[in-house]
């Protein structure tokens, strides 16, 4: 919970089946891709390399197949394009929330599974079979991707365009989360959070969902917040309810013996109060 990548509200996905460097910012990539990654980083856009599950061919880079996603509004979108080179993709349009001229809007979500072995072996060991399994159920919607953040949570699943992160996914859990997202909903189990907002606010959204049972992707958002030391107070819109949520950090050490299992910060619920009365029926137990 509350561990989705904070600085990821704009996304650039570049299809590349060749070898991935451990860090994209090193720009150890074919010239066209390296330049596109550099331009994205300069504009605060999150670049990711992607490839179809199971493919490891080393092909010469000609046209660039890209996906862009904009999650900085209440109505996120994503678009697909094929460009000859970096100059043909208007990343400034993406920053402005406008679909680049070289791209066409997508009407289906995309699912990313981190399989970046050079960054962390666990991501490949656990992520590769999950990506292949998920792709069998959702052909053409699933991609392997480079590092998304949170190696300790492998296997990681990202649902775009909203930037919903899940971690520690099994094949069954990933399929359930993907199907829920396709229906416009989230599942709280293994939900890491929504990318692009500070971690305390991700935690506030999570606690608001858990309290109300609200599963709709777009129905929950932080409207305002303030911090006093380590304590964060947020006003969360949850459907037609406004909820005051107060959280504070809490240390946690995962029960894992790998190098990626250092103590991490999660969040504890201090208080939660509804600000407007509303009739609510507690969901029946499964």
């Amino acid at each position: 919970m509350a561990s989705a990548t904070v600085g990821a509200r704009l996304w650039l996905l570049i299809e590349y089946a060749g070898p991935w460097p451990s860090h994209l910012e090193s720009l150890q990539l074919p010239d066209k891709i390296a330049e596109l990654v550099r331009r994205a980083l300069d504009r605060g856009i999150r670049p990711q390399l992607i490839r179809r599950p199971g493919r490891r061919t080393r092909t010469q880079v000609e046209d660039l197949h890209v996906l862009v996603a904009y999650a900085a509004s209440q109505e996120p979108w994503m678009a697909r394009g094929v460009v000859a080179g970096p100059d043909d993709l208007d990343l400034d349009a993406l920053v402005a929330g406008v679909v680049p001229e070289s791209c066409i809007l997508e009407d289906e979500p995309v699912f990313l599974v981190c399989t970046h072995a050079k960054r962390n072996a666990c991501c490949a060991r656990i992520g590769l079979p999950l990506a292949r399994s998920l792709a069998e159920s959702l052909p053409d919607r699933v991609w392997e991707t480079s590092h998304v953040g949170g190696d300790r949570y492998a296997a990681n699943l990202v649902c775009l365009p909203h930037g919903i992160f899940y971690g520690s996914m099994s094949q069954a859990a990933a399929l359930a989360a993907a199907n829920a997202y396709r229906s416009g909903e989230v599942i709280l189990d293994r939900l890491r959070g929504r990318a692009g907002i500070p971690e305390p606010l991700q935690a506030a959204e999570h606690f608001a969902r858990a309290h109300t049972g609200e599963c709709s992707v777009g129905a929950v958002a932080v409207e305002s917040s303030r911090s006093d030391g380590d304590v964060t107070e947020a006003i969360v819109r949850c459907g037609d309810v406004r909820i005051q949520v107060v959280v504070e950090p809490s240390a946690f050490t995962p029960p894992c013996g790998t190098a990626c299992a250092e103590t991490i910060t999660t969040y504890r619920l201090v208080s939660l109060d509804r600000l407007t009365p509303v009739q609510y029926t507690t969901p029946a137990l499964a």
Side-chain angles (χ1 to χ4, degrees):
M1 180 184 69
S3 59
T5 302
V6 172
R9 305 202 77 179
L10 310 174
W11 297 74
L12 169 64
L13 316 180
I14 309 168
E15 185 173 2
Y16 178 52
W20 296 347
S22 60
H23 293 75
L24 267 63
E25 56 269 27
S26 71
L27 302 180
Q28 296 176 355
L29 291 159
D31 290 345
K32 286 184 180 181
I33 295 177
E35 176 61 17
L36 201 50
V37 168
R38 184 192 66 77
R39 294 187 183 191
L41 292 171
D42 287 347
R43 291 163 173 79
I45 299 170
R46 173 87 183 191
Q48 297 284 145
L49 299 179
I50 58 173
R51 61 191 172 207
R52 289 299 184 188
R55 297 183 185 177
R56 296 293 182 275
T57 56
R58 299 189 179 190
T59 57
Q60 182 176 352
V61 176
E62 296 179 355
D63 289 340
L64 299 174
H65 294 249
V66 300
L67 287 160
V68 294
Y70 184 81
S73 71
Q74 292 186 358
E75 296 184 359
W77 52 263
M78 67 185 315
R80 178 188 301 270
V82 179
V83 296
D87 292 336
D88 300 313
L89 182 61
D90 186 358
L91 293 180
D92 292 326
L94 175 60
V95 173
V98 177
V99 178
E101 289 187 359
S102 55
C103 296
I104 300 174
L105 277 173
E106 289 273 282
D107 57 6
E108 288 285 337
V110 160
F111 303 98
L112 307 180
V113 179
C114 181
T115 61
H116 200 165
K118 286 187 179 178
R119 191 64 177 258
N120 187 281
C122 292
C123 292
R125 179 177 58 83
I126 307 174
L128 284 169
L130 187 145
R132 292 167 183 163
S133 173
L134 193 59
E136 290 177 1
S137 299
L138 300 171
D140 300 327
R141 308 318 304 168
V142 180
W143 298 87
E144 294 181 22
T145 191
S146 53
H147 178 67
V148 296
D151 299 325
R152 64 180 68 86
Y153 301 108
N156 283 293
L157 174 70
V158 182
C159 308
L160 291 175
H162 284 83
I164 304 296
F165 274 56
Y166 289 91
S168 303
M169 298 300 276
S170 65
Q171 293 180 14
L175 182 58
N179 283 333
Y181 185 67
R182 295 176 73 207
S183 299
E185 296 186 342
V186 299
I187 294 175
L188 283 184
D189 181 39
R190 313 188 197 207
L191 177 66
R192 288 182 54 193
R194 179 165 62 94
I197 64 174
E199 291 176 351
L201 304 188
Q202 295 180 38
E205 287 190 358
H206 186 103
F207 288 123
R209 286 189 183 277
H211 176 74
T212 63
E214 179 60 72
C215 296
S216 174
V217 173
V220 176
V222 173
E223 293 188 335
S224 63
S225 66
R226 66 183 182 89
S227 296
D228 182 5
D230 288 338
V231 178
T232 298
E233 175 189 304
I235 304 301
V236 183
R237 171 181 58 80
C238 204
D240 58 356
V241 180
R242 298 298 184 275
I243 299 177
Q244 181 187 61
V245 183
V246 180
V247 299
E248 65 181 7
S250 174
F252 170 70
T253 302
C256 171
T258 65
C260 58
E262 71 274 11
T263 298
I264 61 176
T265 298
T266 184
Y267 289 84
R268 183 182 74 86
L269 178 63
V270 176
S271 66
L272 184 151
D273 297 289
R274 294 191 180 209
L275 300 183
T276 56
V278 65
Q279 185 176 10
Y280 173 68
T281 302
T282 303
L285 295 177

